[in-house]
Amino acid sequence: MADRYSFSLTTFSPSGKLVQIEYALNAVNQGVTALGIKATNGIVLATEKKSSSPLIDPPSLSKISLITPDIGMVYAGMGPDYRVLVDKARKVSHTGYKRIYNEYPPTRILVQDVARVVQEATQSGGVRPYGVSLLVAGWDEGIEPEAADIKNDSDSPAKPAGKTGGILKGGPSLYQVDPSGSYYPWKATAIGKHATSAKTFLEKRYTEGLELEDAIHIALLTLKETIEGEMNGDTIEIGIVGPPADHLLGYEGVEGAQGPRFRKLTKEQIEDYLTNL
Amino acid sequence: MGSPFDINGGACVAMVGKDCVAIACDLRLGMQALTISNNFPKIFNYAPSTYLGLTGLATDVNTVSDLFRYKVNMYRLREERHISPSDPGQPGQLIVPFICGFDSIGCIDFAKDFIVSGTASDQLFGTCEGLWEPDLGPEDLFETISQALLSAVDRDALSGWGAQVYIIEKDKVTQRLLKGRQD
């Protein structure tokens, strides 16, 4: 009887559940752990690159992706579903935003667009929900949190949107998107197999006013708690949103040009962090 | 039957000043040579310092201004911020004066000085070329754009019958009505 509601994606069970979506979450919870930590001056995304065979060539595996120059993404769950979502996120950031407004979407708008894609897969015929949870990290131009506080004091009419996530609010933001299409803003979180223990660890380690370097350190410590294999530059993947990386621009001497804030750390950079752990 | 651009008449002009911009339009609505109304503004406000002037077929002026009102309102609800014509950078940073024009198929004209449109555009090009100079302050810019518009519409049978002028500064917008010739 209980199974009567497990096949049709769009049929609620009497208790109000959509079991296919819960199964998608189960797929996520079997996936390799990924985590994200927001700092005052950036965000770190980290995950384990687990290879099933020693013959796999690690540098060609990539789990953290750039979506726009200032937004990056990591996943837990099914790799192929993730790649589809990365393609769709990149596409929608242009068709739905950059080609209209001539600038890249703010993080919250991009997250809403991706969440819409994910939600549509829970209410359409002939499809299954995406078997991934995503962590989306991005930096928005606008009034940064500290500046907003100062501005509030002076009783100015241009009131920043404050905690609502209004886009006047600039600076770093970190979101999780689930197979249901729901999304949550986090200071720090983890998804995947060891998400619960990683989150407990992060709760102990996270402090307000964290710097990006500290966040990378905590991210590696958290991964260390849950990692199954060895920890080195080949088995760890780190993406950061930090200060504009003008050296990645590919050219110089153009006034006003700003490098991408999102970049992935190289194997050597990761190993440097690991030796200082 | 004339071109749809010339049926109702009307003129619009925008100018860049020093830390300010100005946009002005005439108020005429006509049917060929017959004037129907002298209260048909062609400038529409979409955000605190974002204005759009539309000239051409009046029914399309209404349609396009309404469509933009819808789009801009949707943007504001979605993004919880006002729209602006170009990337403003970070609030608190320098916000620069910006004007641009579009032809009827959407080709952008980024101008450092002025933009003209409407049935008096030939005349406006002349008056603007003659009167505009760089780095005009708000008061001087008002005088310049007003004289440019009023002189131009006096030489166009399909434009005139009063004018509306907006002077947009960093934190202030001034709207002025010019009576103009009513003949």
Side-chain angles (χ1 to χ4, degrees):
Chain A
M1 264 304 269
D3 290 340
R4 273 177 57 190
Y5 300 94
S6 15
F7 292 104
S8 163
L9 181 58
T10 49
T11 306
F12 277 105
S13 76
S15 59
K17 288 176 185 166
L18 289 166
V19 284
Q20 283 298 322
I21 293 170
E22 300 205 345
Y23 297 161
L25 268 171
N26 291 343
V28 169
N29 290 329
Q30 288 170 33
V32 180
T33 316
L35 63 94
I37 305 170
K38 191 167 81 167
T40 51
N41 57 339
I43 312 159
V44 56
L45 296 177
T47 187
E48 182 190 349
K49 273 205 294 194
K50 215 160 75 177
S51 43
S52 49
S53 156
L55 296 176
I56 282 179
D57 182 26
S60 62
L61 248 167
S62 178
K63 296 177 63 181
I64 302 180
S65 314
L66 176 140
I67 306 300
T68 75
D70 293 346
I71 301 176
M73 197 155 93
V74 68
Y75 78 103
M78 298 172 63
D81 285 19
Y82 171 67
R83 286 205 310 278
V84 169
L85 283 175
V86 166
D87 282 356
K88 292 198 176 190
R90 286 173 179 165
K91 185 174 178 178
V92 81
S93 68
H94 285 84
T95 56
Y97 210 92
K98 191 164 190 289
R99 286 178 183 195
I100 300 171
Y101 303 116
N102 201 26
E103 62 195 41
Y104 282 105
T107 313
R108 186 174 59 95
I109 301 294
L110 190 273
V111 165
Q112 280 174 359
D113 287 346
V114 174
R116 172 159 56 236
V117 170
V118 173
Q119 196 280 335
E120 278 168 8
T122 68
Q123 223 179 9
S124 317
V127 299
R128 60 167 173 79
Y130 288 92
V132 286
S133 277
L134 305 169
L135 293 180
V136 183
W139 185 284
D140 300 323
E141 301 302 326
I143 302 166
E144 287 173 34
E146 310 90 277
D149 292 339
I150 297 162
K151 225 173 170 194
N152 273 335
D153 292 341
S154 64
D155 201 26
S156 85
K159 196 167 146 277
K163 285 176 184 154
T164 61
I167 299 294
L168 280 178
K169 193 192 87 175
S173 48
L174 172 66
Y175 288 89
Q176 173 186 350
V177 183
D178 276 351
S180 59
S182 16
Y183 60 92
Y184 320 90
W186 291 102
K187 289 174 181 168
T189 192
I191 50 175
K193 199 186 283 174
H194 301 294
T196 319
S197 58
K199 264 155 75 177
T200 316
F201 188 84
L202 285 171
E203 275 168 27
K204 285 192 212 123
R205 281 298 190 130
Y206 184 87
T207 49
E208 297 290 334
L210 212 58
E211 297 271 320
L212 181 57
E213 292 296 309
D214 306 330
I216 296 172
H217 190 73
I218 294 172
L220 287 170
L221 286 176
T222 316
L223 275 186
K224 203 178 173 191
E225 292 289 299
T226 63
I227 202 163
E228 283 155 11
E230 195 191 344
M231 247 181 128
N232 59 46
D234 281 330
T235 58
I236 297 294
E237 206 173 336
I238 296 179
I240 60 164
V241 176
D246 289 342
H247 65 281
L248 293 176
L249 216 45
Y251 55 86
E252 50 188 78
V254 179
E255 206 186 326
Q258 199 187 57
R261 283 182 180 273
F262 176 78
R263 64 193 165 92
K264 289 173 68 180
L265 297 188
T266 61
K267 181 184 168 184
E268 290 71 28
Q269 285 171 317
I270 294 172
E271 270 163 8
D272 284 349
Y273 281 111
L274 284 171
T275 49
N276 296 326
L277 211 59
Chain B
M1 198 66 200
S3 151
F5 293 101
D6 305 328
I7 294 173
N8 304 115
C12 190
V13 56
M15 279 183 182
V16 177
K18 187 170 172 53
D19 297 325
C20 58
V21 290
I23 184 166
C25 66
D26 73 334
L27 293 173
R28 182 178 182 270
L29 168 72
M31 264 168 68
Q32 311 279 35
L34 172 67
T35 298
I36 301 296
S37 165
N38 61 357
N39 187 21
F40 187 75
K42 296 158 191 75
I43 295 173
F44 305 90
N45 171 232
Y46 291 108
S49 54
T50 305
Y51 288 79
L52 172 69
L54 295 165
T55 58
L57 194 67
T59 179
D60 288 354
V61 169
N62 283 326
T63 306
V64 173
S65 65
D66 285 358
L67 181 66
F68 271 105
R69 189 176 60 195
Y70 162 72
K71 287 191 174 199
V72 164
N73 283 344
M74 289 306 285
Y75 179 99
R76 199 170 56 245
L77 288 170
R78 196 167 57 239
E79 308 226 356
E80 298 174 17
R81 62 172 171 172
H82 289 294
I83 204 163
S84 61
S86 65
D87 186 6
Q90 291 187 19
Q93 277 186 335
L94 184 70
I95 297 167
V96 290
F98 176 89
I99 60 167
C100 74
F102 295 84
D103 68 9
S104 62
I105 52 172
C107 180
I108 308 185
D109 176 3
F110 294 110
K112 286 195 283 285
D113 41 16
F114 51 81
I115 289 286
V116 304
S117 82
T119 51
S121 60
D122 285 356
Q123 291 87 335
L124 277 165
F125 269 122
T127 56
C128 289
E129 288 285 2
L131 296 173
W132 185 87
E133 48 190 284
D135 294 331
L136 291 166
E139 287 309 313
D140 289 341
L141 190 69
F142 166 70
E143 201 61 32
T144 308
I145 198 169
S146 303
Q147 291 297 341
L149 182 69
L150 289 178
S151 308
V153 297
D154 280 355
R155 284 287 168 181
D156 177 29
L158 300 180
S159 305
W161 292 71
Q164 217 174 47
V165 185
Y166 293 85
I167 307 294
I168 303 155
E169 293 165 75
K170 213 169 231 165
D171 46 11
K172 184 172 87 174
V173 179
T174 316
Q175 186 209 52
R176 292 199 177 96
L177 282 167
L178 307 178
K179 192 71 182 166
R181 285 174 64 131
Q182 301 286 320
D183 62 356

PDB file of all heavy atoms in Angstrom, chain A residues 63-67 73-75 79-93 114 130 134:
ATOM      1  N   LYS A  63      34.715  18.841  -9.878  1.00  0.00           N
ATOM      2  CA  LYS A  63      33.389  18.866  -9.234  1.00  0.00           C
ATOM      3  C   LYS A  63      32.929  20.259  -8.867  1.00  0.00           C
ATOM      4  O   LYS A  63      31.759  20.463  -8.552  1.00  0.00           O
ATOM      5  CB  LYS A  63      33.414  17.995  -7.972  1.00  0.00           C
ATOM      6  CG  LYS A  63      33.670  16.519  -8.280  1.00  0.00           C
ATOM      7  CD  LYS A  63      33.761  15.709  -7.018  1.00  0.00           C
ATOM      8  CE  LYS A  63      32.465  15.738  -6.239  1.00  0.00           C
ATOM      9  NZ  LYS A  63      32.577  14.966  -4.991  1.00  0.00           N
ATOM     10  N   ILE A  64      33.838  21.206  -8.874  1.00  0.00           N
ATOM     11  CA  ILE A  64      33.486  22.592  -8.567  1.00  0.00           C
ATOM     12  C   ILE A  64      33.552  23.391  -9.861  1.00  0.00           C
ATOM     13  O   ILE A  64      34.537  23.306 -10.585  1.00  0.00           O
ATOM     14  CB  ILE A  64      34.439  23.187  -7.513  1.00  0.00           C
ATOM     15  CG1 ILE A  64      34.383  22.343  -6.234  1.00  0.00           C
ATOM     16  CG2 ILE A  64      34.099  24.622  -7.214  1.00  0.00           C
ATOM     17  CD1 ILE A  64      35.270  22.838  -5.125  1.00  0.00           C
ATOM     18  N   SER A  65      32.472  24.122 -10.154  1.00  0.00           N
ATOM     19  CA  SER A  65      32.396  24.790 -11.457  1.00  0.00           C
ATOM     20  C   SER A  65      32.141  26.273 -11.336  1.00  0.00           C
ATOM     21  O   SER A  65      31.434  26.728 -10.436  1.00  0.00           O
ATOM     22  CB  SER A  65      31.267  24.185 -12.290  1.00  0.00           C
ATOM     23  OG  SER A  65      31.318  22.791 -12.232  1.00  0.00           O
ATOM     24  N   LEU A  66      32.680  26.995 -12.272  1.00  0.00           N
ATOM     25  CA  LEU A  66      32.389  28.420 -12.401  1.00  0.00           C
ATOM     26  C   LEU A  66      31.083  28.583 -13.173  1.00  0.00           C
ATOM     27  O   LEU A  66      30.892  27.950 -14.210  1.00  0.00           O
ATOM     28  CB  LEU A  66      33.537  29.116 -13.132  1.00  0.00           C
ATOM     29  CG  LEU A  66      33.378  30.604 -13.461  1.00  0.00           C
ATOM     30  CD1 LEU A  66      34.693  31.314 -13.234  1.00  0.00           C
ATOM     31  CD2 LEU A  66      32.910  30.817 -14.884  1.00  0.00           C
ATOM     32  N   ILE A  67      30.183  29.414 -12.655  1.00  0.00           N
ATOM     33  CA  ILE A  67      28.929  29.687 -13.358  1.00  0.00           C
ATOM     34  C   ILE A  67      29.009  31.064 -14.016  1.00  0.00           C
ATOM     35  O   ILE A  67      28.792  31.209 -15.205  1.00  0.00           O
ATOM     36  CB  ILE A  67      27.720  29.624 -12.401  1.00  0.00           C
ATOM     37  CG1 ILE A  67      27.701  28.292 -11.655  1.00  0.00           C
ATOM     38  CG2 ILE A  67      26.412  29.823 -13.167  1.00  0.00           C
ATOM     39  CD1 ILE A  67      27.611  27.068 -12.526  1.00  0.00           C
ATOM     40  N   MET A  73      29.961  26.882  -8.009  1.00  0.00           N
ATOM     41  CA  MET A  73      28.974  25.901  -7.561  1.00  0.00           C
ATOM     42  C   MET A  73      29.647  24.549  -7.299  1.00  0.00           C
ATOM     43  O   MET A  73      30.601  24.192  -7.986  1.00  0.00           O
ATOM     44  CB  MET A  73      27.930  25.757  -8.670  1.00  0.00           C
ATOM     45  CG  MET A  73      26.644  25.120  -8.298  1.00  0.00           C
ATOM     46  SD  MET A  73      25.342  25.674  -9.431  1.00  0.00           S
ATOM     47  CE  MET A  73      25.382  24.407 -10.664  1.00  0.00           C
ATOM     48  N   VAL A  74      29.155  23.817  -6.294  1.00  0.00           N
ATOM     49  CA  VAL A  74      29.621  22.457  -6.028  1.00  0.00           C
ATOM     50  C   VAL A  74      28.385  21.618  -5.703  1.00  0.00           C
ATOM     51  O   VAL A  74      27.318  22.176  -5.424  1.00  0.00           O
ATOM     52  CB  VAL A  74      30.655  22.428  -4.883  1.00  0.00           C
ATOM     53  CG1 VAL A  74      30.022  22.794  -3.549  1.00  0.00           C
ATOM     54  CG2 VAL A  74      31.334  21.068  -4.804  1.00  0.00           C
ATOM     55  N   TYR A  75      28.529  20.303  -5.732  1.00  0.00           N
ATOM     56  CA  TYR A  75      27.344  19.463  -5.550  1.00  0.00           C
ATOM     57  C   TYR A  75      27.628  18.262  -4.658  1.00  0.00           C
ATOM     58  O   TYR A  75      28.774  17.914  -4.399  1.00  0.00           O
ATOM     59  CB  TYR A  75      26.853  18.952  -6.904  1.00  0.00           C
ATOM     60  CG  TYR A  75      27.683  17.795  -7.445  1.00  0.00           C
ATOM     61  CD1 TYR A  75      27.220  16.470  -7.385  1.00  0.00           C
ATOM     62  CD2 TYR A  75      28.942  18.016  -7.996  1.00  0.00           C
ATOM     63  CE1 TYR A  75      27.986  15.416  -7.874  1.00  0.00           C
ATOM     64  CE2 TYR A  75      29.706  16.969  -8.485  1.00  0.00           C
ATOM     65  CZ  TYR A  75      29.220  15.669  -8.418  1.00  0.00           C
ATOM     66  OH  TYR A  75      29.990  14.633  -8.886  1.00  0.00           O
ATOM     67  N   GLY A  79      26.626  12.931 -10.297  1.00  0.00           N
ATOM     68  CA  GLY A  79      27.492  13.754 -11.161  1.00  0.00           C
ATOM     69  C   GLY A  79      26.862  14.184 -12.462  1.00  0.00           C
ATOM     70  O   GLY A  79      26.911  15.367 -12.811  1.00  0.00           O
ATOM     71  N   PRO A  80      26.253  13.266 -13.223  1.00  0.00           N
ATOM     72  CA  PRO A  80      25.655  13.658 -14.509  1.00  0.00           C
ATOM     73  C   PRO A  80      24.559  14.701 -14.364  1.00  0.00           C
ATOM     74  O   PRO A  80      24.466  15.629 -15.178  1.00  0.00           O
ATOM     75  CB  PRO A  80      25.092  12.334 -15.053  1.00  0.00           C
ATOM     76  CG  PRO A  80      25.904  11.282 -14.385  1.00  0.00           C
ATOM     77  CD  PRO A  80      26.207  11.809 -13.016  1.00  0.00           C
ATOM     78  N   ASP A  81      23.733  14.568 -13.321  1.00  0.00           N
ATOM     79  CA  ASP A  81      22.681  15.563 -13.090  1.00  0.00           C
ATOM     80  C   ASP A  81      23.297  16.925 -12.807  1.00  0.00           C
ATOM     81  O   ASP A  81      22.784  17.962 -13.231  1.00  0.00           O
ATOM     82  CB  ASP A  81      21.796  15.152 -11.908  1.00  0.00           C
ATOM     83  CG  ASP A  81      20.845  14.027 -12.270  1.00  0.00           C
ATOM     84  OD1 ASP A  81      21.112  13.351 -13.280  1.00  0.00           O
ATOM     85  OD2 ASP A  81      19.853  13.823 -11.540  1.00  0.00           O
ATOM     86  N   TYR A  82      24.412  16.901 -12.074  1.00  0.00           N
ATOM     87  CA  TYR A  82      25.101  18.161 -11.753  1.00  0.00           C
ATOM     88  C   TYR A  82      25.570  18.856 -13.020  1.00  0.00           C
ATOM     89  O   TYR A  82      25.373  20.070 -13.174  1.00  0.00           O
ATOM     90  CB  TYR A  82      26.276  17.867 -10.834  1.00  0.00           C
ATOM     91  CG  TYR A  82      27.189  19.052 -10.602  1.00  0.00           C
ATOM     92  CD1 TYR A  82      26.742  20.173  -9.907  1.00  0.00           C
ATOM     93  CD2 TYR A  82      28.506  19.058 -11.067  1.00  0.00           C
ATOM     94  CE1 TYR A  82      27.567  21.253  -9.694  1.00  0.00           C
ATOM     95  CE2 TYR A  82      29.337  20.131 -10.856  1.00  0.00           C
ATOM     96  CZ  TYR A  82      28.865  21.242 -10.168  1.00  0.00           C
ATOM     97  OH  TYR A  82      29.692  22.306  -9.959  1.00  0.00           O
ATOM     98  N   ARG A  83      26.176  18.078 -13.930  1.00  0.00           N
ATOM     99  CA  ARG A  83      26.697  18.696 -15.155  1.00  0.00           C
ATOM    100  C   ARG A  83      25.581  19.348 -15.965  1.00  0.00           C
ATOM    101  O   ARG A  83      25.753  20.416 -16.543  1.00  0.00           O
ATOM    102  CB  ARG A  83      27.430  17.666 -16.001  1.00  0.00           C
ATOM    103  CG  ARG A  83      28.786  17.278 -15.437  1.00  0.00           C
ATOM    104  CD  ARG A  83      29.683  16.774 -16.540  1.00  0.00           C
ATOM    105  NE  ARG A  83      29.013  15.755 -17.347  1.00  0.00           N
ATOM    106  CZ  ARG A  83      28.923  14.471 -17.015  1.00  0.00           C
ATOM    107  NH1 ARG A  83      29.476  14.042 -15.897  1.00  0.00           N
ATOM    108  NH2 ARG A  83      28.309  13.623 -17.804  1.00  0.00           N
ATOM    109  N   VAL A  84      24.413  18.684 -15.978  1.00  0.00           N
ATOM    110  CA  VAL A  84      23.264  19.271 -16.678  1.00  0.00           C
ATOM    111  C   VAL A  84      22.886  20.610 -16.026  1.00  0.00           C
ATOM    112  O   VAL A  84      22.632  21.607 -16.708  1.00  0.00           O
ATOM    113  CB  VAL A  84      22.071  18.289 -16.648  1.00  0.00           C
ATOM    114  CG1 VAL A  84      20.809  18.971 -17.111  1.00  0.00           C
ATOM    115  CG2 VAL A  84      22.377  17.081 -17.521  1.00  0.00           C
ATOM    116  N   LEU A  85      22.874  20.622 -14.688  1.00  0.00           N
ATOM    117  CA  LEU A  85      22.491  21.856 -13.992  1.00  0.00           C
ATOM    118  C   LEU A  85      23.526  22.959 -14.174  1.00  0.00           C
ATOM    119  O   LEU A  85      23.175  24.136 -14.241  1.00  0.00           O
ATOM    120  CB  LEU A  85      22.274  21.571 -12.502  1.00  0.00           C
ATOM    121  CG  LEU A  85      20.953  20.882 -12.175  1.00  0.00           C
ATOM    122  CD1 LEU A  85      20.882  20.520 -10.696  1.00  0.00           C
ATOM    123  CD2 LEU A  85      19.767  21.754 -12.547  1.00  0.00           C
ATOM    124  N   VAL A  86      24.804  22.592 -14.243  1.00  0.00           N
ATOM    125  CA  VAL A  86      25.847  23.589 -14.484  1.00  0.00           C
ATOM    126  C   VAL A  86      25.620  24.237 -15.856  1.00  0.00           C
ATOM    127  O   VAL A  86      25.631  25.461 -15.994  1.00  0.00           O
ATOM    128  CB  VAL A  86      27.256  22.959 -14.414  1.00  0.00           C
ATOM    129  CG1 VAL A  86      28.308  23.905 -14.987  1.00  0.00           C
ATOM    130  CG2 VAL A  86      27.608  22.613 -12.982  1.00  0.00           C
ATOM    131  N   ASP A  87      25.361  23.392 -16.863  1.00  0.00           N
ATOM    132  CA  ASP A  87      25.081  23.920 -18.206  1.00  0.00           C
ATOM    133  C   ASP A  87      23.878  24.857 -18.189  1.00  0.00           C
ATOM    134  O   ASP A  87      23.904  25.929 -18.783  1.00  0.00           O
ATOM    135  CB  ASP A  87      24.799  22.771 -19.180  1.00  0.00           C
ATOM    136  CG  ASP A  87      26.078  22.085 -19.624  1.00  0.00           C
ATOM    137  OD1 ASP A  87      27.162  22.565 -19.228  1.00  0.00           O
ATOM    138  OD2 ASP A  87      25.994  21.078 -20.357  1.00  0.00           O
ATOM    139  N   LYS A  88      22.810  24.414 -17.495  1.00  0.00           N
ATOM    140  CA  LYS A  88      21.590  25.230 -17.484  1.00  0.00           C
ATOM    141  C   LYS A  88      21.812  26.524 -16.714  1.00  0.00           C
ATOM    142  O   LYS A  88      21.279  27.572 -17.088  1.00  0.00           O
ATOM    143  CB  LYS A  88      20.434  24.433 -16.871  1.00  0.00           C
ATOM    144  CG  LYS A  88      20.018  23.279 -17.750  1.00  0.00           C
ATOM    145  CD  LYS A  88      18.641  22.739 -17.408  1.00  0.00           C
ATOM    146  CE  LYS A  88      18.277  21.664 -18.413  1.00  0.00           C
ATOM    147  NZ  LYS A  88      16.888  21.236 -18.337  1.00  0.00           N
ATOM    148  N   ALA A  89      22.589  26.448 -15.620  1.00  0.00           N
ATOM    149  CA  ALA A  89      22.853  27.652 -14.826  1.00  0.00           C
ATOM    150  C   ALA A  89      23.649  28.662 -15.643  1.00  0.00           C
ATOM    151  O   ALA A  89      23.353  29.850 -15.647  1.00  0.00           O
ATOM    152  CB  ALA A  89      23.605  27.292 -13.551  1.00  0.00           C
ATOM    153  N   ARG A  90      24.678  28.170 -16.346  1.00  0.00           N
ATOM    154  CA  ARG A  90      25.479  29.072 -17.175  1.00  0.00           C
ATOM    155  C   ARG A  90      24.623  29.693 -18.266  1.00  0.00           C
ATOM    156  O   ARG A  90      24.708  30.880 -18.572  1.00  0.00           O
ATOM    157  CB  ARG A  90      26.638  28.307 -17.808  1.00  0.00           C
ATOM    158  CG  ARG A  90      27.731  27.981 -16.806  1.00  0.00           C
ATOM    159  CD  ARG A  90      28.768  27.083 -17.416  1.00  0.00           C
ATOM    160  NE  ARG A  90      29.828  26.786 -16.466  1.00  0.00           N
ATOM    161  CZ  ARG A  90      30.702  25.806 -16.619  1.00  0.00           C
ATOM    162  NH1 ARG A  90      30.640  25.017 -17.685  1.00  0.00           N
ATOM    163  NH2 ARG A  90      31.638  25.592 -15.720  1.00  0.00           N
ATOM    164  N   LYS A  91      23.764  28.852 -18.874  1.00  0.00           N
ATOM    165  CA  LYS A  91      22.921  29.343 -19.962  1.00  0.00           C
ATOM    166  C   LYS A  91      21.938  30.391 -19.459  1.00  0.00           C
ATOM    167  O   LYS A  91      21.814  31.468 -20.047  1.00  0.00           O
ATOM    168  CB  LYS A  91      22.166  28.176 -20.592  1.00  0.00           C
ATOM    169  CG  LYS A  91      21.366  28.570 -21.809  1.00  0.00           C
ATOM    170  CD  LYS A  91      20.769  27.355 -22.474  1.00  0.00           C
ATOM    171  CE  LYS A  91      19.929  27.739 -23.674  1.00  0.00           C
ATOM    172  NZ  LYS A  91      19.385  26.564 -24.362  1.00  0.00           N
ATOM    173  N   VAL A  92      21.273  30.096 -18.343  1.00  0.00           N
ATOM    174  CA  VAL A  92      20.235  31.009 -17.863  1.00  0.00           C
ATOM    175  C   VAL A  92      20.848  32.307 -17.350  1.00  0.00           C
ATOM    176  O   VAL A  92      20.217  33.363 -17.405  1.00  0.00           O
ATOM    177  CB  VAL A  92      19.326  30.329 -16.812  1.00  0.00           C
ATOM    178  CG1 VAL A  92      19.962  30.339 -15.429  1.00  0.00           C
ATOM    179  CG2 VAL A  92      17.971  30.986 -16.757  1.00  0.00           C
ATOM    180  N   SER A  93      22.098  32.257 -16.891  1.00  0.00           N
ATOM    181  CA  SER A  93      22.717  33.497 -16.419  1.00  0.00           C
ATOM    182  C   SER A  93      22.948  34.462 -17.587  1.00  0.00           C
ATOM    183  O   SER A  93      23.012  35.663 -17.381  1.00  0.00           O
ATOM    184  CB  SER A  93      24.025  33.219 -15.682  1.00  0.00           C
ATOM    185  OG  SER A  93      25.006  32.745 -16.577  1.00  0.00           O
ATOM    186  N   VAL A 114      18.190  28.716 -10.939  1.00  0.00           N
ATOM    187  CA  VAL A 114      18.557  27.296 -10.866  1.00  0.00           C
ATOM    188  C   VAL A 114      17.478  26.536 -10.094  1.00  0.00           C
ATOM    189  O   VAL A 114      17.059  25.442 -10.492  1.00  0.00           O
ATOM    190  CB  VAL A 114      19.936  27.119 -10.213  1.00  0.00           C
ATOM    191  CG1 VAL A 114      20.241  25.647 -10.006  1.00  0.00           C
ATOM    192  CG2 VAL A 114      21.013  27.765 -11.063  1.00  0.00           C
ATOM    193  N   TYR A 130      16.040  16.075 -10.029  1.00  0.00           N
ATOM    194  CA  TYR A 130      17.497  16.046 -10.058  1.00  0.00           C
ATOM    195  C   TYR A 130      18.013  15.403  -8.780  1.00  0.00           C
ATOM    196  O   TYR A 130      17.526  15.721  -7.698  1.00  0.00           O
ATOM    197  CB  TYR A 130      18.055  17.458 -10.181  1.00  0.00           C
ATOM    198  CG  TYR A 130      17.840  18.056 -11.547  1.00  0.00           C
ATOM    199  CD1 TYR A 130      16.722  18.818 -11.828  1.00  0.00           C
ATOM    200  CD2 TYR A 130      18.763  17.811 -12.556  1.00  0.00           C
ATOM    201  CE1 TYR A 130      16.521  19.351 -13.092  1.00  0.00           C
ATOM    202  CE2 TYR A 130      18.572  18.338 -13.818  1.00  0.00           C
ATOM    203  CZ  TYR A 130      17.449  19.103 -14.088  1.00  0.00           C
ATOM    204  OH  TYR A 130      17.254  19.615 -15.342  1.00  0.00           O
ATOM    205  N   LEU A 134      22.951  21.404  -4.343  1.00  0.00           N
ATOM    206  CA  LEU A 134      24.011  22.303  -4.806  1.00  0.00           C
ATOM    207  C   LEU A 134      24.393  23.272  -3.702  1.00  0.00           C
ATOM    208  O   LEU A 134      23.551  23.663  -2.885  1.00  0.00           O
ATOM    209  CB  LEU A 134      23.520  23.115  -6.006  1.00  0.00           C
ATOM    210  CG  LEU A 134      22.971  22.355  -7.203  1.00  0.00           C
ATOM    211  CD1 LEU A 134      22.299  23.312  -8.165  1.00  0.00           C
ATOM    212  CD2 LEU A 134      24.087  21.596  -7.894  1.00  0.00           C
TER     213      LEU A 134
END
